[in-house]
Amino acid sequence: MMFDGFEVQSRWDEAFRAAVVGGLSRAQKSIPCCWLYDERGSELFNEITRLEEYYPTRAETEILLRWADEMAGFCGEDILLVEYGAGAGIKTEILIEALDKPRLYVPIDIAGDVLAQTASRMRDRFPDLETLPIVADFNRDFDLPAGLPPGWRTAFFPGSTIGNLNRSETVAFLSRLHRHVEGRGMAIIGVDLKKDLGTLLSAYDDGAGVTAAFNLNLLARINRELDGDFPLDRFVHQARWNESESAVEMHLVSLDTRVVSACGRQFAFHEGETIHTESSRKYALDSFRSLAEKSAWRLSRAWLDDEDRFAVLGLEASP
Ligand code: AVI
């Protein structure tokens, strides 16, 4: 079935509406973190990646620059590289540069416009490498197209976005990757590691207030797109550690008891009540290994930065 741009947009709007109505009706109000990324949210996230306090992007780039040749050896020659959530793709360039005669690059992203830009930049940068962009939500089940060229496949998922998935989503996602590499390839995945709480919390509550603006932008988006009336100066950003989930959580805290409208519905808040907007899981290598094993992957390499803050993991598919 074909959908035109208008239909895709209206399905998207409907999904946002359903996420907000459903999420604000729960005892612990929560809205999935994918809705943080409208145009402004994506700009703010890019700003976050350049902040002093937000170490993951710098640490992962340092690892890729240092170990790309070894990662390329791990992947093998003539491979098909499949990237999930291929946003700007800067880290991917480091890996592709090191790969031995890669056969095909398959960037996958839900945002068709971002994907088209990434594909065209990659074609300019690597004119000999065929690029086949695919619009899909990597967090839902989908198949890669039939008829891809033969060759071993490597699934690439940098950015520690895997930390934004819960346990069952992570196992389902890794199982999907296993299927996509036809049960015999590799995966290279960026994972943020558990560390002292001071470092973790300041990464999600920076001094310049960029992460706060990123989180609060969700309420501005609801006001704009879903006819909401959240008073933006009466909600504040909070980053907190959830030990049982091993995750930094972002919340929006209501400073007052009030009723807010959105989507033609009313939602009551009491003073101090929060909307949970994101969890960012931080792993110990052993805990990630056991999740990977549940999805038929074997953890065979771990490349770390100098301060052991972040790991890029090499997984091999077990049959
Ligand atoms: C996209 N993701 C890996 C980021 C993270 O660290 O969980 C999103 C983010 N949220 C606040 N700062 C960055």
Side-chain angles (χ1 to χ4, degrees), residues 37 45 48 54 159-161 164 204 211 214 250 278 280:
Y37 299 89
F45 175 64
I48 288 174
Y54 193 75
S160 71
T161 308
N164 297 132
Y204 291 83
T211 311
F214 172 63
M250 292 206 310
E278 183 188 71
S280 203

Side-chain angles (χ1 to χ4, degrees), residues 266-287:
Q266 302 216 302
F267 302 97
F269 284 82
H270 59 74
E271 185 185 332
E273 186 173 355
T274 74
I275 310 173
H276 175 202
T277 51
E278 183 188 71
S279 289
S280 203
R281 281 167 188 75
K282 307 301 169 189
Y283 284 101
L285 287 182
D286 276 344
S287 58

Side-chain angles (χ1 to χ4, degrees), residues 286-301:
D286 276 344
S287 58
F288 194 86
R289 175 183 287 115
S290 64
L291 273 189
E293 284 171 359
K294 282 190 188 352
S295 341
W297 287 99
R298 193 162 58 81
L299 174 58
S300 55
R301 302 290 179 86

Side-chain angles (χ1 to χ4, degrees), residues 123-144:
R123 287 182 183 121
D124 288 349
R125 175 92 172 72
F126 302 102
D128 296 334
L129 175 64
E130 196 188 333
T131 295
L132 177 73
I134 295 179
V135 178
D137 179 355
F138 64 74
N139 210 13
R140 291 180 183 223
D141 216 19
F142 67 98
D143 290 320
L144 294 182

Side-chain angles (χ1 to χ4, degrees), residues 72-291:
F74 172 74
C75 297
E77 57 184 43
D78 294 325
I79 64 152
L80 282 61
L81 184 72
V82 184
E83 181 174 10
Y84 297 80
I90 304 299
K91 295 171 199 154
T92 319
E93 291 187 18
I94 302 172
L95 181 61
I96 292 181
E97 177 91 350
L99 286 174
D100 190 4
K101 303 190 283 324
R103 190 164 282 178
L104 178 68
Y105 170 54
V106 183
I108 300 171
D109 203 287
I110 196 163
D113 47 349
V114 177
L115 191 64
Q117 282 168 22
T118 302
S120 111
R121 215 191 55 250
M122 289 305 205
R123 287 182 183 121
D124 288 349
R125 175 92 172 72
F126 302 102
D128 296 334
L129 175 64
E130 196 188 333
T131 295
L132 177 73
I134 295 179
V135 178
D137 179 355
F138 64 74
N139 210 13
R140 291 180 183 223
D141 216 19
F142 67 98
D143 290 320
L144 294 182
L148 295 181
W152 287 60
R153 300 177 181 181
T154 292
F156 185 45
F157 193 42
S160 71
T161 308
I162 199 152
N164 297 132
L165 310 184
N166 66 30
R167 204 181 152 77
S168 62
E169 287 169 337
T170 304
V171 173
F173 174 74
L174 291 174
S175 303
R176 188 169 309 128
L177 263 50
H178 191 273
R179 212 180 66 236
H180 289 175
V181 301
E182 303 179 303
R184 59 175 196 132
M186 312 294 184
I188 295 189
I189 299 188
V191 172
D192 195 16
L193 299 175
K194 216 169 162 177
K195 59 185 64 63
D196 69 280
L197 285 194
T199 303
L200 282 175
L201 290 177
S202 60
Y204 291 83
D205 195 6
D206 60 280
V210 182
T211 311
F214 172 63
N215 199 6
L216 281 159
N217 177 60
L218 179 61
L219 300 184
R221 181 178 186 185
I222 295 173
N223 285 352
R224 193 174 58 248
E225 295 181 22
L226 300 176
D227 197 20
D229 64 357
F230 278 96
L232 302 185
D233 56 345
R234 302 307 299 162
F235 282 81
V236 290
H237 165 71
Q238 184 187 65
R240 57 163 97 143
W241 176 247
N242 181 329
E243 179 62 34
S244 61
E245 292 290 321
S246 190
V248 178
E249 293 181 350
M250 292 206 310
H251 288 255
L252 289 161
V253 187
S254 173
L255 295 177
D256 319 286
T257 295
R258 70 167 61 248
V259 174
V260 175
S261 306
C263 315
R265 306 271 288 263
Q266 302 216 302
F267 302 97
F269 284 82
H270 59 74
E271 185 185 332
E273 186 173 355
T274 74
I275 310 173
H276 175 202
T277 51
E278 183 188 71
S279 289
S280 203
R281 281 167 188 75
K282 307 301 169 189
Y283 284 101
L285 287 182
D286 276 344
S287 58
F288 194 86
R289 175 183 287 115
S290 64
L291 273 189

